[in-house]
Amino acid sequence: MTVEATTAAPALNTDRRLLIDGELVGAERTYPTSNPATGAVLGHAPDAGVAEAERAIAAARRAFDETTWATDPGFRADCLDQLYRALVENVEELRELTIAEAGAARLLTERAQVDAPLEIVKHYAELLRGYSFREELGELESRGAKHRRWVEKEAAGVVAAIIAYNYPNQLALAKLAPALAAGCTVVLKAAPDTPLITLALGELIANHTDIPAGVVNVLSSDDPEVGPLLTTHPDVDMVTFTGSTATGRRIMAAASETVKKVFLELGGKSAMVLLDDADFAMPAMMAAFMICSHAGQGCAITTRLVVPRAEHDEIVAAVAQNLANIKPGDPAHPHTYLGPLISERQRDKVHAMVQRAVADGATLVTGGEKVDPGWFYTPTLLTNVDPDSEIAQEEVFGPVLVVLPHDGDDDAVRIANNSIYGLAGAVYSADEERAVAVARRIRAGAFSVNGGLYFAPDTPFGGFKQSGIGREMGTAGLEEFLESKTFATVVP
């Protein structure tokens, strides 16, 4: 099976620069970035090293300590408005770059990959204008005097923002927008696999906004020393990271040396639970389309389908039929839904996990095949899976779905909670009250009930357990980047 290009690739600007202290600059070295749909080199990104990272941190420190950025919310809101307009005006360039470098299907760029993330910036500009950074606590009588008390919220300081490759626009803007709204300064490090997209965001900031020099710095790097520097440098006050749980653990440990504030949005092994009174047709379709969304490269994707034992075979057949209708294809084509994995390395990892699962006794219902050229993988469905096995416990980050039977609501909850992760989930039932009751018992940060959409700029997103610490988006996302300071005066 092969995938053929069906559209002519548009001309892309792949000559991108780092943003350091308000200047767009190169680096002594570059490294290649590839188009995952073809495997061909797309361009070369500046390979920032320790020296560039040190300059970026120093610029962010100076901008926070010596300018009025942190104390002028009106100006910050105006700058976010400018950034939003620049993103909208340049959205087609971002779209084509995201298709080419991230392998995102064009259909998905019209939603979560490109268009929807822009609205995060608009949301925080609007939120900032109505947000109160001061809370009055009233008076307290003590030692024969009255004391007036209040709390003020201040920017956390210099933020190191490190993102993953799967949704580069979403992840960057979900960190940048609230951090800037809060008054922080930022060093944003692109994912090594998708540097050009993130550098393009930096260029828009430099060329189309009044954000002062040093407030935002954007790095691309394949240097293994740069990440650790950002997470340990004494001039960095906070680290916000999206990526694997394994890397998140290392970042948390590294940041502890200087007791930094840490936000982590990590892995997931989310469960879609079907109760015995559900109409199985809709969730069988949703399970198939979810696992193929961006080739399964999403931390909140429901990768475990937990179904009533009596209806197991019926549901498996329906999911398999839906998966059969989803074919890997050129992500640039307007009708493609399933694009490639980000790299050959990632595809090999996915394939090895599937092969080990089958060797351990799982049944391969469909899929499990590499598709060339590029790094495509067929939608894969596994049954007869041990709930404690690697394939049922570890994040695959590919289009691989496992089906697990349950024997009633209590058993379904037990299976769903049998994970170190707790990022998201879904439940289907004809009885909404019953579905919500089951969802409340599952330890996860977000839940879709009967297909409800929870992901939007105004809704907090984050996980329980080893899926992370803190929340992105919504008012909670802004407050991640704030510190509280308590004041008291004696009333005359």
Side-chain angles (χ1 to χ4, degrees):
M1 183 176 182
T2 60
V3 171
E4 296 182 1
T6 54
T7 58
L12 293 173
N13 176 12
T14 59
D15 182 19
R16 300 293 177 178
R17 296 289 181 267
L18 310 172
L19 174 59
I20 300 177
D21 204 8
E23 299 292 330
L24 295 170
V25 298
E28 290 186 4
R29 303 184 306 272
T30 63
Y31 70 96
T33 178
S34 298
N35 181 333
T38 64
V41 171
L42 180 66
H44 289 79
D47 190 4
V50 168
E52 288 86 359
E54 290 271 13
R55 281 169 36 216
I57 294 169
R61 183 80 265 166
R62 186 173 60 253
F64 185 80
D65 293 341
E66 300 178 10
T67 76
T68 61
W69 177 257
T71 58
D72 192 344
F75 177 57
R76 298 200 301 269
D78 291 342
C79 288
L80 286 171
D81 285 338
Q82 292 174 338
L83 177 56
Y84 176 69
R85 288 194 296 271
L87 290 165
V88 171
E89 290 167 2
N90 293 273
V91 68
E92 294 309 319
E93 181 180 10
L94 290 174
R95 188 184 319 283
E96 298 303 332
L97 197 53
T98 304
I99 293 167
E101 189 175 45
R106 186 175 298 278
L107 279 171
L108 292 182
T109 68
E110 296 169 359
R111 295 188 290 274
Q113 280 285 3
V114 177
D115 290 358
L118 308 193
E119 299 307 309
I120 299 172
V121 180
K122 181 180 180 181
H123 171 75
Y124 280 106
E126 293 173 349
L127 178 63
L128 180 55
R129 289 190 168 94
Y131 186 82
S132 176
F133 289 85
R134 180 183 175 114
E135 178 187 3
E136 294 288 344
L137 298 181
E139 294 182 356
L140 173 72
E141 191 165 337
S142 177
R143 301 190 302 274
K146 289 185 178 181
H147 305 265
R148 182 170 64 86
R149 298 136 333 120
W150 72 96
V151 174
E152 294 182 6
K153 296 175 182 177
E154 300 180 357
V158 175
V159 174
I162 304 171
I163 64 173
Y165 65 78
N166 53 333
Y167 287 83
N169 297 295
Q170 165 71 34
L171 300 180
L173 295 176
K175 297 182 186 304
L176 268 179
L180 296 178
C184 295
T185 58
V186 181
V187 179
L188 172 64
K189 181 182 178 294
D193 287 308
T194 52
L196 302 181
I197 300 165
T198 306
L199 294 177
L201 296 177
E203 291 179 11
L204 292 179
I205 290 170
N207 294 329
H208 298 281
T209 77
D210 294 325
I211 294 174
V215 168
V216 178
N217 306 270
V218 182
L219 305 177
S220 58
S221 178
D222 204 30
D223 187 330
E225 295 184 24
V226 169
L229 176 69
L230 292 174
T231 58
T232 58
H233 199 289
D235 281 342
V236 172
D237 300 298
M238 175 178 174
V239 178
T240 173
F241 169 76
T242 297
S244 72
T245 293
T247 303
R249 294 186 191 114
R250 294 196 296 271
I251 286 175
M252 193 172 183
S256 71
E257 292 297 319
T258 46
V259 196
K260 300 187 192 306
K261 192 172 186 178
V262 176
F263 168 87
L264 301 173
E265 200 269 276
L266 307 175
K269 195 69 181 177
S270 300
M272 178 184 289
V273 176
L274 278 57
L275 303 184
D276 57 16
D277 64 345
D279 178 350
F280 301 131
M282 176 58 73
M285 182 182 70
M286 290 300 297
F289 276 85
M290 279 288 289
I291 200 63
C292 293
S293 178
H294 197 38
Q297 298 170 114
C299 53
I301 288 174
T302 45
T303 55
R304 293 180 296 155
L305 182 59
V306 183
V307 306
R309 189 177 300 276
E311 286 78 26
H312 175 276
D313 292 351
E314 171 194 344
I315 295 168
V316 167
V319 174
Q321 182 56 53
N322 285 312
L323 288 175
N325 295 327
I326 304 173
K327 308 293 185 185
D330 179 1
H333 191 278
H335 296 146
T336 292
Y337 184 76
L338 175 60
L341 293 166
I342 191 64
S343 66
E344 187 170 21
R345 178 184 67 255
Q346 178 61 21
R347 186 174 68 170
D348 287 345
K349 175 205 165 190
V350 170
H351 190 54
M353 290 183 74
V354 170
Q355 289 184 314
R356 286 196 296 272
V358 173
D360 289 342
T363 299
L364 180 63
V365 178
T366 186
E369 298 177 355
K370 297 180 180 181
V371 182
D372 297 316
W375 301 309
F376 295 86
Y377 201 72
T378 53
T380 301
L381 182 63
L382 295 166
T383 61
N384 297 320
V385 171
D386 180 346
D388 295 323
S389 66
E390 176 192 49
I391 201 72
Q393 290 290 324
E394 295 299 322
E395 189 172 46
V396 180
F397 238 53
V400 179
L401 178 66
V402 300
V403 183
L404 304 168
H406 72 77
D407 296 305
D409 294 9
D410 290 346
D411 194 40
V413 170
R414 180 190 62 78
I415 293 169
N417 281 331
N418 179 31
S419 172
I420 64 169
Y421 301 109
L423 187 56
V427 60
Y428 284 83
S429 170
D431 182 342
E432 182 177 303
E433 186 175 341
R434 179 187 179 193
V436 171
V438 167
R440 286 190 175 124
R441 296 170 61 194
I442 296 173
R443 301 276 294 164
F447 240 89
S448 170
V449 176
N450 290 332
L453 178 64
Y454 59 75
F455 200 76
D458 61 343
T459 53
F461 179 76
F464 290 11
K465 300 191 283 186
Q466 294 189 42
S467 282
I469 298 172
R471 294 295 180 268
E472 270 185 336
M473 302 195 297
T475 302
L478 172 67
E479 293 176 344
E480 290 288 340
F481 296 96
L482 295 172
E483 296 279 14
S484 293
K485 180 182 288 185
T486 304
F487 293 82
T489 62
V490 177
V491 179

